[in-house]
Amino acid sequence: DHSWVSIIEIDENAISKKSASDVVETLRTAFATGRTKPLKYREGQLKGLRRFLEKCSEDIEKALYKDLRKHKMECTMCEIELVLNDLRHTIYDFKNWAKPKKPEKRLVNILDGVYIYKDPYGVVLIMGAWNYPILLSLGPVVGALAAGNAVILKPSELSPATANVMAKLLPKYLDPECFQVYLGGIEETTELLKERFDYIFFTGSTMVGKIVHQAAAKHLTPTTLELGGKSPLYLDETVNMSKATRRILWGKYLNSGQTCVAPDYLLCTKPVQEKFLQEARKVIVEFYGQDPKKSPHLSRIVTERHFRRLVKFITFENVAIGGSYDETERIISPTVLINVSADDPIMKEEIFGPILPIVNVKDAGEAIDFINSKEKPLALYIFSKKKDVQKMFLTKTSAGTVCVNETITQLTTENLPFGGVGSSGMGNYHGKYGFDTFSHHKAVLVKDYSMFTDISLSLRNPPYTPMKENM
Ligand code: NAD
């Protein structure tokens, strides 16, 4: 039953009633009182967020269904549980992360106190994307709250049901003077970005990332940019093709390819391509049935505009598998394209849909050259059992993250920082990395008044006698 509007009224075009400057002012005033700083308060906020995810999971699932036709299992596995995991880990550990650190001392500082304090930045803006609207909005919120900041969250207007659920229900679980959800589209976001923030954390496209970075530069606001791009996958003949194909296609078609770290395109030789296609035909039927358009396990393409952009890529002479779509439901069946060249439109932009083009290369070296001729990707996938091939990719290419013989799960490995490089972004988060991202690392040196310290300091004072100069 997805007729849940009775539970929460959804306004698809909801925009925040308060002006951007009023919202920022409220948060700034509350932050200035110092109330977000005590660890007990932060713990309360983190537990509030946890309660929201636990108590409102049904509302969240219904909203995700409305926005993207996301299957309940994907809502739990890829959104709610991932944030809950981060929360559990953070609630357990953040008090240690928050303690002033004592770096190793050199001889000259032997009597000094040398510390690194982790200070909250202040009022931080978090902008989320629509493809995983819970994970990509609330994931960064975990680090920001743990670090003691006041937060303004701007979810994407393209997943309005989920944005509404957060805007309506989160204030019941979090301190509304230190946490606010701001709703709106491009116009409202443009206004919002004129405000002065102490930190901006943005998830979205490279193009909008540049707009955000420019707006931040006006106030010299530090930013983390979690962007996208074309994530390549190299496949060779040494792998177990049946297992590899399942891992590859799960990562590609999850949320209908609308995943920032989805493998964008596949690089392999022609003989490997033949083996892959043979397996892929079987795996797609196994995952989504004979007519995948009817499968409840495939998400919907987010908007008509995105749908039209994607179907243009399906040129029938290139279709090896799939290629059909349902316009009213905005579903595209899992598709594999062959005979694709670097100049084809599909190789010019991030696909962000369930279409996998295969570009043939003669070997790993040519694949590396191909990857290096493009912008640095958010993720690089290597499917090979050969250690020297794995090493060659790791040492000769640059990417935000790398995953060998698997897809996507580098993102869910708590102890790894998640973020891009070059045009796929800057900065990172998850677990302690998120806490550190939202903390200013303040250097603190404390001197004493002992005789030894005083004598050593006096040596630097004018007049600069020859004796002092020669010391
Ligand atoms: P987007 O850049 O269109 O939108 C992201 C946010 O920017 C939204 O909140 C939106 O309201 C706002 N926005 C859009 N246009 C704006 C403008 N002109 N001025 C100011 N704000 C504006 O991104 P999207 O379509 O939501 O997400 C898809 C992209 O995000 C893909 O490139 C994908 O790879 C990337 N992505 C990256 C990650 C990551 O973690 N690195 C995760 C998910 C998505």
Side-chain angles (χ1 to χ4, degrees), residues 47-62:
K47 287 186 172 165
L49 187 57
R50 187 173 68 186
R51 268 199 308 282
F52 162 76
L53 289 166
E54 286 165 351
K55 294 242 155 74
C56 304
S57 61
E58 216 173 297
D59 293 307
I60 294 170
E61 282 163 12
K62 285 174 177 168

Side-chain angles (χ1 to χ4, degrees), residues 171-408:
K172 297 186 202 301
Y173 296 87
L174 296 172
D175 176 352
E177 286 184 4
C178 297
F179 179 91
Q180 298 242 336
V181 179
Y182 192 81
L183 296 182
I186 294 176
E187 198 182 316
E188 292 74 27
T189 311
T190 306
E191 276 309 298
L192 187 62
L193 283 170
K194 288 184 187 155
E195 295 298 318
R196 180 184 183 133
F197 297 97
D198 301 301
Y199 202 92
I200 299 180
F201 188 104
F202 170 81
T203 302
S205 61
T206 302
M207 190 198 79
V208 180
K210 289 179 186 171
I211 297 175
V212 171
H213 206 211
Q214 267 178 1
K218 292 218 169 85
H219 300 291
L220 276 184
T221 301
T223 52
T224 292
L225 302 176
E226 295 282 342
L227 311 176
K230 291 182 85 61
S231 298
L233 187 148
Y234 175 72
L235 173 65
D236 77 12
E237 69 292 346
T238 60
V239 299
N240 175 322
M241 199 53 79
S242 152
K243 292 181 188 174
T245 306
R246 275 178 184 74
R247 295 178 194 186
I248 294 168
L249 296 187
W250 172 76
K252 177 70 192 185
Y253 299 130
L254 184 74
N255 200 29
S256 277
Q258 303 169 110
T259 304
C260 54
V261 286
D264 187 275
Y265 61 95
L266 198 152
L267 294 165
C268 65
T269 62
K270 269 238 153 72
V272 170
Q273 170 181 303
E274 289 319 307
K275 284 191 197 149
F276 171 76
L277 288 175
Q278 236 175 25
E279 287 299 327
R281 284 191 187 96
K282 285 188 261 172
V283 171
I284 289 171
V285 174
E286 182 186 310
F287 283 6
Y288 305 106
Q290 288 295 346
D291 184 2
K293 292 198 297 302
K294 299 208 171 77
S295 167
H297 308 291
L298 268 181
S299 295
R300 173 187 290 135
I301 303 304
V302 66
T303 68
E304 219 179 293
R305 175 170 62 85
H306 290 75
F307 180 82
R308 279 200 304 269
R309 182 182 66 83
L310 285 168
V311 296
K312 268 202 214 129
F313 290 141
I314 305 175
T315 47
F316 284 91
E317 62 276 18
N318 290 355
V319 173
I321 305 175
S324 60
Y325 44 84
D326 176 338
E327 229 166 317
T328 43
E329 278 291 310
R330 296 203 304 272
I331 296 289
I332 299 175
S333 65
T335 297
V336 181
L337 303 180
I338 53 172
N339 302 323
V340 176
S341 81
D343 305 323
D344 290 341
I346 196 162
M347 293 307 293
K348 301 276 187 211
E349 59 185 274
E350 184 180 2
I351 301 168
F352 229 56
I355 306 171
L356 180 66
I358 304 180
V359 176
N360 292 128
V361 286
K362 67 174 194 310
D363 55 21
E366 198 179 314
I368 288 171
D369 290 343
F370 189 89
I371 293 164
N372 287 339
S373 72
K374 299 192 164 294
E375 295 289 357
K376 293 175 182 176
L378 182 59
L380 165 68
Y381 296 105
I382 310 158
F383 276 72
S384 173
K385 277 191 173 169
K386 285 193 212 150
K387 288 271 185 290
D388 57 331
V389 169
Q390 297 172 5
K391 193 171 165 203
M392 201 157 94
F393 277 91
L394 282 168
T395 53
K396 294 192 171 174
T397 64
S398 175
T401 64
V402 175
C403 194
V404 180
N405 293 319
E406 163 66 327
T407 58
I408 315 285

Side-chain angles (χ1 to χ4, degrees), residues 111-152:
L111 291 179
D112 303 337
V114 176
Y115 308 100
I116 301 167
Y117 276 63
K118 306 280 179 76
D119 276 358
Y121 276 105
V123 177
V124 306
L125 169 65
I126 294 174
M127 293 176 66
W130 50 264
N131 55 337
Y132 291 85
I134 290 291
L135 175 68
L136 301 176
S137 302
L138 300 183
V141 167
V142 175
L145 293 179
N149 296 282
V151 178
I152 175 163

